[in-house]
Amino acid sequence: MDELHDLQDTRTGSPFELSFILLSQVKELLFRMVHLELDQARGHLRADRAGEACRALARATRTQRVLIACWESMNGMPADEFVRFRDVLGQASGTQSFAYRGLEFAMGNKNPVMVRPPDLRRYPQLRAEFERPSLYDEALRFLDRHGLPLPAATLDRDVTRQYEPDERVERAWQQVYADPAGHPEPYRLAEHLIEVAYQFSHWRAAHLLVVERMLGGKRGTAGTDGARWLREVNEHRFFPELWTARTLL
Ligand code: HEM
């Protein structure tokens, strides 16, 4: 704990800068915690322990809610106080968080734009996550083993590539929702997965609002056009066919 408390090194001495660092570090650790739960869920699915997988997903969701609640605290900072220390951040940005990127990879977002070879070299755990099947890959393999056969192209796909939605997967989820009693485990899994995806998108949406509140239309420290870039990121959905299958119900 002593070491942990030595890690908040402000450059300006502003209490707002210290709060910003503290919240960023808290969120970073919580990303890791969500990742830990999702990794367990993935392992349980691979071993056909759907009940255990769902319990791990439910734990992940609890932590995701805490992550979202952290924005409440961040919003206590007035925008004029933020701009007073923002310059000392230099080019430091959330885009550099390997914990966040690892979490996105684990859930299945391997957007080639965000897969940066220098990061994969620098963080072996990120590379390992990049090369593993995602939670969604394992969920689809689980469906295939439990009465909802899916195409080989989905099951044996190159897991380092961005996942592309497939109509046959959408139809499988539609079948699950059309007959929950006939597919109790896939149904329970589907509801836990959509909750995890929802909470992730909720986090992104709240981040976008905080960014607009703090920066208006200013550019981000990573060089993006800030809120506009994040608005596009907000369009992405994890486990895409689980969302689109709703249209068919
Ligand atoms: C005043 C508060 C904040 C502002 C104004 C802000 C602003 C931004 C902006 C403009 C971006 C786009 C990339 C860039 O050009 O930098 C970004 C990305 C990001 N931010 Fe924040 N941010 C804030 C707080 C946080 C906090 C507390 C976290 C959590 C540790 C965080 C995590 C991230 C992540 C993970 C990304 C990358 C998103 C992605 O790749 O999809 N941000 N942020």
Side-chain angles (χ1 to χ4, degrees):
M1 287 302 169
D2 291 354
E3 280 178 39
L4 192 61
H5 285 291
D6 276 343
L7 295 175
Q8 298 77 32
D9 196 9
T10 64
R11 305 267 166 94
T12 64
S14 155
F16 291 98
E17 187 194 348
L18 181 57
S19 301
F20 178 82
I21 293 173
L22 285 165
L23 276 171
S24 301
Q25 292 181 350
V26 165
K27 278 178 174 279
E28 193 72 13
L29 293 174
L30 292 175
F31 291 150
R32 185 169 163 194
M33 193 156 156
V34 175
H35 193 169
L36 183 71
E37 303 294 3
L38 296 185
D39 186 40
Q40 289 182 63
R42 178 170 50 184
H44 288 309
L45 277 182
R46 202 177 309 121
D48 288 323
R49 292 186 296 264
E52 286 296 316
C54 289
R55 275 191 282 281
L57 294 175
R59 291 195 297 273
T61 301
R62 284 174 182 270
T63 305
Q64 287 179 295
R65 294 201 185 99
V66 178
L67 265 164
I68 294 165
C70 289
W71 291 125
E72 278 304 307
S73 199
M74 187 62 91
N75 276 327
M77 173 169 63
D80 56 304
E81 291 291 352
F82 180 55
V83 290
R84 249 172 230 141
F85 69 82
R86 185 174 185 237
D87 283 351
V88 305
L89 301 176
Q91 292 181 335
S93 162
T95 54
Q96 295 162 329
S97 163
F98 83 86
Y100 181 84
R101 200 63 58 211
L103 187 54
E104 282 214 320
F105 288 172
M107 286 178 60
N109 186 14
K110 294 180 184 173
N111 175 357
V113 178
M114 301 315 283
V115 178
R116 297 179 178 152
D119 289 352
L120 298 184
R121 280 194 292 277
R122 186 165 177 198
Y123 304 110
Q125 56 281 59
L126 187 62
R127 168 171 286 281
E129 189 52 82
F130 174 64
E131 290 171 352
R132 293 181 69 183
S134 72
L135 171 65
Y136 196 50
D137 288 317
E138 291 297 352
L140 298 182
R141 291 173 187 180
F142 178 87
L143 289 195
D144 180 69
R145 292 194 299 275
H146 291 79
L148 296 147
L150 293 176
T154 299
L155 303 170
D156 306 330
R157 70 185 203 89
D158 174 357
V159 297
T160 64
R161 299 183 78 98
Q162 178 68 308
Y163 178 81
E164 293 296 337
D166 186 299
E167 263 180 31
R168 289 161 296 184
V169 174
E170 187 183 65
R171 278 200 299 276
W173 288 124
Q174 183 194 4
Q175 275 177 264
V176 171
Y177 277 93
D179 180 18
H183 307 284
E185 287 193 329
Y187 179 77
R188 200 168 153 220
L189 176 63
E191 282 297 280
H192 278 88
L193 286 175
I194 197 79
E195 186 64 25
V196 168
Y198 173 90
Q199 296 297 341
F200 205 110
S201 289
H202 190 175
W203 185 91
R204 281 176 172 158
H207 178 242
L208 170 61
L209 287 172
V210 172
V211 170
E212 285 190 53
R213 183 172 176 155
M214 298 296 167
L215 295 183
K218 289 195 202 78
R219 296 186 74 79
T221 43
T224 72
D225 51 9
R228 199 180 312 168
W229 185 80
L230 286 167
R231 219 166 278 128
E232 274 174 38
V233 172
N234 266 260
E235 294 286 313
H236 171 265
R237 292 285 174 269
F238 288 97
F239 324 143
E241 297 93 339
L242 263 174
W243 295 87
T244 57
R246 263 84 183 146
T247 317
L248 310 172
L249 301 186

